[in-house]
């Protein structure tokens, strides 16, 4: 069944929508002794009214209208992801590997800092260590990240000298429970790069 959420009355264009298979029992989290299903992650509203609409079109069978849980989010919430690695989450203490780069070639990694909270996330400092690593974007893009907005950083490995390198990035913000996130960097510079190291195979020619 299709659910839609609106900023204000349930008219006009929905700001988000999702389809739920009501034949499956809710299983995302438990509260009050019952299981609930997450419909929407976080949605911004401009006023004091949020509307959720359940439609029976299209629906394959009966539509069940049950209780809805809406939680007001008023704090900033930092999320750090590795865009280059399919958006994988980066937690405090994780490793980010830039891989092997050829000497004098460009080797980078794109990192995204997102604010999934309800108010501005104030980033006070972004520090990078390790002589071989630097930001190829703004060297220290501090400031406010609006609710549900994000900031991208590009980390670059200096490939002028062959070797193995390590470093780290520390992001400081006013997130209530993750005020400082540090993740380690690693990368290697080589004169050659292995494209395929599997065993050689052959097949008999066909005539």
């Amino acid at each position: 069944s299709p659910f839609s959420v609106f900023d204000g009355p349930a008219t006009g264009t929905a700001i988000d929508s999702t389809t739920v298979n009501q034949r499956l029992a809710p299983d995302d989290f438990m509260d009050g002794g019952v299981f609930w299903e997450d419909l929407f992650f976080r949605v911004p509203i401009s006023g004091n009214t949020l509307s959720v609409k359940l439609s029976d079109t299209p629906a394959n069978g009966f539509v069940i209208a049950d209780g809805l849980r809406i939680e007001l989010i008023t704090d900033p919430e930092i999320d750090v992801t590795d865009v280059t690695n399919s958006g994988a989450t980066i937690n405090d203490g994780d490793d980010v590997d830039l891989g092997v780069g050829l000497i004098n070639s460009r080797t980078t990694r794109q990192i995204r800092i997102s604010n999934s909270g309800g108010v501005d996330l104030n980033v006070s400092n972004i520090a990078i260590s390790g002589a071989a690593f630097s930001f190829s974007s703004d060297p220290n893009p501090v400031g406010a990240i609006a609710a549900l907005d994000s900031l991208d950083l590009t980390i670059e490995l200096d490939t002028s000298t062959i070797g193995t390198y390590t470093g780290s990035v520390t992001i400081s913000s006013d997130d209530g429970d993750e005020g400082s996130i540090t993740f380690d960097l690693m990368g290697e510079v080589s004169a050659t790069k292995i494209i395929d190291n599997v065993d050689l195979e052959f097949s008999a020619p066909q005539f």
Side-chain angles (χ1 to χ4, degrees):
S1 300
F3 286 83
S4 302
V5 61
F6 298 82
D7 180 5
T11 57
T13 303
I15 56 177
D16 202 354
S17 61
T18 189
T19 300
V20 177
N21 184 354
Q22 292 191 323
R23 296 179 179 180
L24 302 177
D27 60 359
D28 283 337
F29 67 96
M30 177 177 281
D31 183 61
V34 296
F35 279 102
W36 296 78
E37 188 76 13
D38 285 330
L39 298 181
F40 306 100
F41 183 53
R42 285 180 170 90
V43 292
I45 60 173
S46 57
N48 58 7
T49 302
L50 178 144
S51 301
V52 179
K53 179 180 179 181
L54 170 62
S55 174
D56 60 355
T57 305
N60 184 16
F62 294 104
V63 174
I64 301 173
D66 208 341
L68 290 173
R69 172 191 174 110
I70 299 174
E71 183 179 358
L72 178 63
I73 300 174
T74 58
D75 297 324
E77 180 63 36
I78 189 171
D79 297 301
V80 183
T81 53
D82 187 344
V83 178
T84 308
N85 186 24
S86 303
T89 299
I90 301 175
N91 296 307
D92 185 53
D94 281 352
D95 297 328
V96 174
D97 190 352
L98 276 73
V100 180
L102 289 174
I103 190 168
N104 295 322
S105 68
R106 192 161 189 257
T107 300
T108 62
R109 199 79 166 188
Q110 188 176 5
I111 304 298
R112 177 166 296 158
I113 305 172
S114 302
N115 175 17
S116 59
V119 297
D120 287 357
L121 172 73
N122 295 298
V123 179
S124 56
N125 190 51
I126 304 175
I128 189 167
S129 68
F133 297 99
S134 63
F135 292 123
S136 60
S137 51
D138 190 329
N140 197 354
V142 298
I145 301 176
L148 304 181
D149 204 353
S150 62
L151 169 72
D152 286 351
L153 302 173
T154 301
I155 299 172
E156 185 163 3
L157 172 64
D158 182 355
T159 59
S160 61
T161 305
I162 294 173
T164 301
Y165 302 95
T166 59
S168 66
V169 171
T170 298
I171 304 169
S172 302
S173 71
D174 63 350
D175 182 288
D177 58 353
E178 296 175 292
S180 179
I181 294 178
T182 298
F183 55 90
D184 294 325
L185 302 173
M186 59 187 70
E188 181 180 350
V189 180
S190 174
T192 58
K193 187 173 184 179
I194 298 174
I195 304 300
D196 189 345
N197 62 353
V198 301
D199 295 334
L200 295 176
E201 296 181 356
F202 70 92
S203 60
Q206 302 294 322
F207 298 100

